Amino acid sequence: MRLGVIGGGQLGRMLIAAARELGVAVSVLDPDPEAACAVVADRFFVGDLTDASAVTALAEQCDVLTYEIEHINVSALQALAERVTLVRPAPQVLAIIQDKLVQKQHLAARGVPVPEFTAGRPGESAEAAAERLGYPCVFKARRGGYDGHGVLVCRDRSELERAGVDAGWDASGWYLERYVPELREPAVVVARSVEGTLEVYPPFEMMFHPERNICDAVIVPARLPGQARDRAAEVAVAAAESFGSAGLFAVELFLSRDGAITVNEIAPRPHNSGHVTIESCVTSQFEQHLRAVCGFPLGSSALLSPGAMVNLLAQSGAGGPARIAGVSEALAFAGVHLHLYGKQRSRAGRKMGHVTALAGSTEEALRRARAAAAAVRIT
Ligand code: ADP
């Protein structure tokens, strides 16, 4: 079995580690010759992810093509899926997911609960759109957002004015969502095999950096009351099933103050929230993604142990060749696993690795993972 992966970052790198064990050869396409996958892929192609000829050259080496990033050329994939090779998840899934507004419309039309949202009307000002939906509201870029870039929370009109949204406002590029007064941000990863069977992971809980709107830690299982846990799984399955495609779907959810579960967004691939599965579940999300897209039977998603994962981000002021210190100190903590992504260059806030800890409770696992992560300094 030969698998092609579009995108050569850390997700691809961890996918390759799982592929080695299953005897799947992996070819990767990425524009950066120093990408995390460059030294671990069986074959590595340097090329633009949106370049149809580069994607076609990759596909010609493979039996199945998948992707670890969403911002790629969907029409090239659609043409390939018709002529050359299997593309999983199906290119149509990406066409929906790439545009957050289309994604929300797709889910809402299928009865999957989402926060109330509205598209900007042609010629409408940001202020008028916000008044129409009501404050507090969240402006979101329809395309290209990541790690909170392209998301702006406005509690009232003065916040909107201060953010200067009107200056860059383009009703076709943005949409608005009602602010969810959330308690928690669980995520449920759902795998769907080629035959349509499902495996649902226990809910993970994403924890956010207090100042920067970025997920810095994950615990499993999520702190959810029993009813919310069942509802989270039910909503995630409905969301994943709505695409009718084989693959792995990471469903980011909101649990609001009133107990309602809604879908924030879906990634059709392994996800940062699922890194903890490498150690804490019977089958890691990476092996599961491989099984799903290669047409193998799915593995068990059962939890082996409570666990926690903490992202290792390059420190503020970092830049240039990456320097990593404190590895020995981190490895001295009991039950801790270190994953470094092999990125050659650091940039403040860039994800350079992660630490996972298993323990008898999620609290203890998180305490150990945070302590070990604090020992690592990346500049
Ligand atoms: P990204 O794709 O950049 O991760 P998201 O749409 O997931 O962007 O938003 C980033 C974060 O902003 C979320 O994880 C959540 O903390 C907050 N957020 C987004 N939408 C809402 C909303 N409607 N209500 C409350 N908080 C939100």
Side-chain angles (χ1 to χ4, degrees):
M1 173 69 74
R2 300 167 310 160
L3 179 71
V5 183
I6 303 174
Q10 65 266 21
L11 301 176
R13 183 169 164 118
M14 289 183 269
L15 197 64
I16 291 168
R20 290 250 183 283
E21 294 176 357
L22 300 190
V24 173
V26 183
S27 299
V28 173
L29 173 69
D30 196 277
D32 178 3
E34 292 186 338
C37 285
V39 294
V40 295
D42 293 277
R43 303 187 70 170
F44 184 78
F45 299 90
V46 178
D48 190 324
L49 304 183
T50 58
D51 174 2
S53 60
V55 174
T56 306
L58 175 72
E60 279 163 358
Q61 309 288 321
C62 308
D63 305 306
V64 179
L65 197 60
T66 191
Y67 37 85
E68 57 113 62
I69 186 166
E70 283 100 289
H71 307 304
I72 56 180
N73 187 335
V74 174
S75 51
L77 287 184
Q78 273 162 340
L80 281 171
E82 279 159 26
R83 294 186 295 115
V84 187
T85 193
L86 294 169
V87 181
R88 290 182 182 141
Q92 182 53 25
V93 177
L94 263 188
I96 296 165
I97 279 178
Q98 276 183 344
D99 184 327
K100 283 187 181 178
L101 173 62
V102 173
Q103 187 184 147
K104 285 266 150 61
Q105 289 167 333
H106 165 92
L107 294 170
R110 282 153 188 82
V112 179
V114 293
E116 192 182 341
F117 66 95
T118 182
R121 294 179 182 154
E124 187 176 43
S125 70
E127 203 177 295
E131 296 288 344
R132 193 155 54 74
L133 190 69
Y135 292 102
C137 63
V138 186
F139 283 84
K140 290 196 177 186
R142 289 175 57 174
R143 291 173 173 274
Y146 67 98
D147 288 348
H149 297 279
V151 172
L152 180 72
V153 177
C154 289
R155 270 161 246 281
D156 52 36
R157 192 176 162 157
S158 67
E159 239 175 51
L160 180 66
E161 278 163 14
R162 268 203 307 281
V165 176
D166 259 330
W169 169 254
D170 162 12
S172 66
W174 294 76
Y175 78 101
L176 264 95
E177 259 177 42
R178 173 94 67 200
Y179 181 79
V180 179
E182 88 252 24
L183 285 176
R184 303 263 152 86
E185 296 195 37
V188 175
V189 171
V190 179
R192 190 176 193 271
S193 71
V194 171
E195 286 81 29
T197 58
L198 299 178
E199 272 293 327
V200 185
Y201 281 87
F204 316 128
E205 181 175 333
M206 298 189 286
M207 303 177 124
F208 285 79
H209 190 278
E211 282 116 47
R212 298 149 62 197
N213 199 9
I214 183 169
C215 169
D216 73 341
V218 169
I219 55 172
V220 63
R223 297 166 298 170
L224 295 176
Q227 246 180 355
R229 178 172 306 222
D230 295 345
R231 182 70 183 139
E234 185 183 27
V235 168
V237 165
E241 286 270 59
S242 76
F243 297 111
S245 171
L248 192 81
F249 300 90
V251 185
E252 292 183 20
L253 301 164
F254 292 131
L255 169 66
S256 68
R257 215 169 278 153
D258 62 4
I261 297 268
T262 49
V263 174
N264 175 24
E265 61 176 339
I266 299 166
R269 54 168 171 77
H271 188 253
N272 194 197
S273 66
H275 291 356
V276 67
T277 60
I278 296 175
E279 288 88 5
S280 70
C281 291
V282 174
T283 309
S284 80
Q285 64 164 351
F286 298 100
E287 180 177 334
Q288 198 74 284
H289 180 80
L290 277 177
R291 287 173 176 243
V293 302
C294 294
F296 297 134
L298 299 180
S300 163
S301 54
L303 189 69
L304 295 170
S305 163
M309 188 273 329
V310 175
N311 282 323
L312 294 175
L313 307 179
Q315 294 182 344
S316 58
R323 278 194 299 272
I324 301 178
V327 167
S328 289
E329 290 91 321
L331 292 177
F333 288 90
V336 157
H337 300 264
L338 179 64
H339 298 258
L340 293 173
Y341 303 151
K343 295 182 182 177
Q344 301 298 307
R345 307 207 139 254
S346 70
R347 194 175 56 242
R350 190 175 192 202
K351 286 179 191 152
M352 304 296 281
H354 72 264
V355 168
T356 306
L358 302 183
S361 68
T362 50
E363 293 76 22
E364 179 56 18
L366 183 61
R367 200 188 59 73
R368 286 188 201 167
R370 283 212 187 278
V376 182
R377 294 171 305 283
I378 304 176
T379 52

